[in-house]
Amino acid sequence: MQLAAVLERHGLPASFSHFIDVAPLIEMLWADGQNQITEITIVREFLLNKIKLYREDFGFDILSTEELRNVLDYFLRNRPDPALLAELRQHAIERIQQRGDHHYLQTLTDRCVDIAAACSTHYPYRSDERVMHSEKQLLRTLLQY
């Protein structure tokens, strides 16, 4: 399905397509079933940096303040449908691959690792439990690209 149709189906602004590459981060944030403040901070900083780069490159904001707030609320307040996140991830990876930007894909993967390592859901944890199994699965999927 085309990205525009996916966004429209979920009530997301068309301008979000400029920031579709944040989808793997959001998916990683929710991989363990919950969001935590450190993970949210990583996603928010990534998105705000992307907006800043667009502003510097094009001289205007791609997302309005209200659109940004709505996007963050949509993805960070309540867990989105995992199928939607997987679909958005696929669109994001395809777009990055079309650009041939391997460095950017590595940066995105690094941020996913940061999110996975940011918080544990229970203490104490064994040495192999710092990153949840569901997060490890998603990381393996991302590393296939």
Side-chain angles (χ1 to χ4, degrees):
M1 180 178 286
Q2 294 289 341
L3 177 57
V6 173
L7 297 177
E8 184 178 329
R9 188 176 77 222
H10 292 278
L12 294 166
S15 54
F16 182 70
S17 66
H18 296 288
F19 301 96
I20 191 63
D21 49 343
V22 77
L25 301 180
I26 295 167
E27 189 176 20
M28 183 58 69
L29 177 141
W30 288 107
D32 63 1
Q34 56 188 310
N35 63 4
Q36 297 167 335
I37 192 66
T38 305
E39 297 169 320
I40 291 170
T41 300
I42 292 168
V43 172
R44 186 172 279 146
E45 285 175 358
F46 186 88
L47 187 55
L48 291 173
N49 186 50
K50 191 109 168 104
I51 289 170
K52 179 183 173 203
L53 292 174
Y54 267 94
R55 186 181 307 124
E56 290 170 0
D57 289 346
F58 302 111
F60 62 92
D61 288 327
I62 301 296
L63 285 178
S64 70
T65 303
E66 183 179 344
E67 287 175 324
L68 174 61
R69 187 178 307 112
N70 290 341
V71 166
L72 288 173
D73 283 350
Y74 184 92
F75 286 112
L76 302 180
R77 188 174 300 265
N78 298 300
R79 186 178 187 185
D81 178 9
L84 167 64
L85 293 177
E87 190 173 11
L88 292 176
R89 172 187 18 98
Q90 188 62 39
H91 282 286
I93 299 301
E94 286 173 9
R95 184 173 288 173
I96 293 167
Q97 287 178 331
Q98 286 172 354
R99 290 192 320 243
D101 194 343
H102 301 290
H103 174 73
Y104 189 78
L105 185 57
Q106 183 60 53
T107 299
L108 189 66
T109 304
D110 289 349
R111 293 299 76 73
C112 285
V113 170
D114 292 339
I115 290 169
C119 302
S120 291
T121 57
H122 66 278
Y123 292 96
Y125 53 84
R126 296 188 337 228
S127 62
D128 64 344
E129 293 178 331
R130 175 72 173 135
V131 175
M132 303 291 290
H133 177 72
S134 54
E135 293 168 326
K136 289 177 184 177
Q137 282 183 300
L138 181 54
L139 283 171
R140 285 191 290 273
T141 298
L142 289 170
L143 293 173
Q144 291 175 7
Y145 300 108

